[in-house]
Amino acid sequence: MPPRWPRKPTREDPAYRRLEDRINFAVHVAAFIAVNSGLWFFHTLNPAWVPWVQWFTLAWVPLLIGNGVYIFAIADYSPAPLSPVESTDQGEA
C-alpha cells in the first residue's frame, strides 16, 4: 500500500515541498540512468552509431549534480512568512 500524506498537499507546506523535490530528483536520477545506460549499450555495440554519447553524459552529469546540491544543501524548506498586513493609517493628518 502506498504511503499517504496526512493532510491536504499544497506547495505552501514545507514538508510537502521537500518531499516533492526529492521525488523529482529521484525521477531525474532514474531518467539519467535509463537514457545513459541505453545510449552506452548501443555505443558498445556500434561506436559509430552514437559517437557523441560521452559528451551527452558529461553534459548531463553537472545538471544532475547541481540539482542534487540544490535539493539537499541549498533549498530552504522553512515555512514561508506571512505577507505583511497593509497599514490602514495612510498618514492622515
Side-chain angles (χ1 to χ4, degrees), residues 56-81:
F56 183 79
T57 300
L58 288 174
W60 198 340
V61 166
L63 297 173
L64 187 66
I65 291 171
N67 189 355
V69 167
Y70 175 76
I71 296 299
F72 295 106
I74 298 173
D76 181 20
Y77 296 109
S78 59

Side-chain angles (χ1 to χ4, degrees), residues 7-49:
R7 52 197 172 274
K8 182 176 170 132
T10 63
R11 282 295 291 169
E12 288 77 32
D13 184 0
Y16 180 74
R17 277 196 328 260
R18 182 176 183 206
L19 176 65
E20 184 181 30
D21 286 348
R22 288 181 180 219
I23 289 172
N24 287 338
F25 179 70
V27 170
H28 188 182
V29 170
F32 174 82
I33 292 169
V35 169
N36 281 289
S37 66
L39 286 173
W40 280 101
F41 173 76
F42 288 112
H43 179 73
T44 303
L45 292 178
N46 182 5
W49 182 68

